Amino acid sequence: MFATYLIGLREGLEATLVVSILVAFLVKSQRRDRLPQVWAGVGAAVALSVIFGSLIQYTSTSLLRTSESREFFEAVTSVAAVVFVTWMIFWMRKAARSIAGELRGKLTEALAVGSLAVAGMAFLAVVREGLETALIFYAAAESVAGGTGAGSLLALIGGIVTAVVIGFGLYRSALKINLSRFFTWTGALLILVAAGILKYGVHDFQEAGVLPGLNDQAFDISATLDPNAWYGALLAGMFNITAAPTVLELVAWVAYAVPVLVLFLRKPAQPPKPAAQPVQPVESAQPVEPAQPVESAQPVESAQPVESAQAESAPADAAAVPSPRA
């Protein structure tokens, strides 16, 4: 039951953080009138998640008639749950620092559209966590004794309630939790839980006749790991570690758990800092060559003096007209 409690705690805290970011943004933006739309979207997401989980359970118990079909269905849901768990923990590690800014940006856009957009944005932000929780809970609960009984369901609800309390404390700043360390440790534990779910899925495939080797045991340490002892039940309930696994179960558990844990716990490579470029001295501008002196225009030859028209000077002595003789 601890595995289902851990699933409820982890997924519930992610959803609680998303809701608290949306609520805090609206309160600080003086848009409390949009809070009912946010809670409506959250409620619709929770309702759809419950319906989805009930549909999975109903399909397994009522729609599937033969044991082989039920085993095959449980195997498929187990593999799907492992895929979702793996994607979720790596996505959260990558997006933890930027998720608040992205949510605020989307909510700002939704506020500009209208109340229906605000409710839809809150619904989409929470429904992913809810659907993942329903699928992973079913797969994890079926992989341990008791299945999706009252004990497993109460453990899941207990994890979700704990997550809500923690989220409310963080919202009120009453709690100071290193969320990065929290998600790292819970992510590592969930990887081991997912390895156990995958191991159980392989076993279901073997029982359904899809995979061979149902009777090929890798080892049997029942004398050392008593399945009826508290520690044997704890290991089986948390990580599906059993005393007599088949060869394919053991290969699947190790092949998933070891490389995924190494990749998850390895510190992400920091982007290389660009090398400081030496400051190139600014080349002084080349001295501008003085303009060549403009050759003075050739002196315009003075116009030749216009020769004054030779005025035909009249004869100084006018011809005397002979006077008539008296």
Side-chain angles (χ1 to χ4, degrees):
M1 290 190 296
F2 180 78
T4 54
Y5 175 84
L6 180 63
I7 291 170
L9 176 63
R10 168 78 186 221
E11 295 286 342
L13 187 57
E14 289 185 15
T16 302
L17 289 176
V18 168
V19 175
S20 64
I21 290 171
L22 298 179
V23 172
F25 179 76
L26 290 177
V27 171
K28 292 181 180 180
S29 302
Q30 303 298 324
R31 298 302 303 271
R32 292 176 179 268
D33 58 312
R34 297 299 187 185
L35 288 177
Q37 285 79 31
V38 171
W39 293 120
V42 172
V46 173
L48 180 60
S49 303
V50 173
I51 293 173
F52 179 68
S54 301
L55 181 61
I56 294 176
Q57 181 69 17
Y58 178 74
T59 301
S60 176
T61 57
S62 301
L63 296 183
L64 302 177
R65 300 298 181 183
T66 64
S67 59
E68 289 80 7
S69 60
R70 285 194 293 270
E71 297 293 345
F72 181 77
F73 177 77
E74 292 176 2
V76 172
T77 55
S78 296
V79 174
V82 171
V83 172
F84 275 111
V85 167
T86 308
W87 175 81
M88 177 261 296
I89 58 179
F90 280 97
W91 175 84
M92 177 54 72
R93 188 182 70 167
K94 179 180 179 182
R97 296 182 179 179
S98 60
I99 186 173
E102 293 178 359
L103 286 174
R104 294 188 189 103
K106 291 180 180 178
L107 187 55
T108 301
E109 296 175 358
L111 287 171
V113 174
S115 58
L116 186 61
V118 174
M121 188 264 170
F123 171 81
L124 294 176
V126 177
V127 72
R128 179 181 60 84
E129 306 293 343
L131 297 179
E132 286 179 3
T133 302
L135 179 60
I136 298 169
F137 163 71
Y138 174 80
E142 287 295 329
S143 66
V144 298
T148 54
S152 297
L153 184 59
L154 289 176
L156 177 72
I157 295 175
I160 294 175
V161 171
T162 305
V164 172
V165 172
I166 294 175
F168 183 77
L170 291 174
Y171 174 76
R172 290 294 186 180
S173 299
L175 296 177
K176 300 295 182 181
I177 296 179
N178 189 329
L179 291 177
S180 177
R181 185 173 299 176
F182 173 84
F183 283 121
T184 298
W185 281 104
T186 55
L189 289 175
L190 276 180
I191 289 173
L192 296 178
V193 171
I197 295 175
L198 180 62
K199 174 179 174 291
Y200 177 79
V202 170
H203 182 78
D204 279 342
F205 275 129
Q206 289 177 321
E207 289 189 341
V210 177
L211 293 177
L214 180 60
N215 298 318
D216 297 334
Q217 291 184 347
F219 51 79
D220 189 349
I221 55 173
S222 301
T224 303
L225 183 62
D226 185 2
N228 297 320
W230 67 268
Y231 54 87
L234 181 63
L235 291 176
M238 287 182 61
F239 312 123
N240 200 22
I241 296 177
T242 56
T246 66
V247 174
L248 282 181
E249 289 178 37
L250 179 63
V251 169
W253 198 97
V254 175
Y256 173 84
V258 174
V260 175
L261 268 177
V262 171
L263 290 175
F264 179 73
L265 296 177
R266 185 180 63 181
K267 292 183 179 180
Q270 298 294 333
K273 295 182 180 180
Q277 298 292 334
V279 179
Q280 298 291 339
V282 180
E283 296 181 359
S284 57
Q286 297 294 330
V288 181
E289 296 181 0
Q292 298 295 329
V294 180
E295 295 181 359
S296 56
Q298 295 294 329
V300 180
E301 295 180 359
S302 56
Q304 296 295 328
V306 180
E307 296 180 356
S308 56
Q310 301 293 329
E312 294 181 356
S313 54
D317 296 331
V321 181
S323 59
R325 293 183 179 181

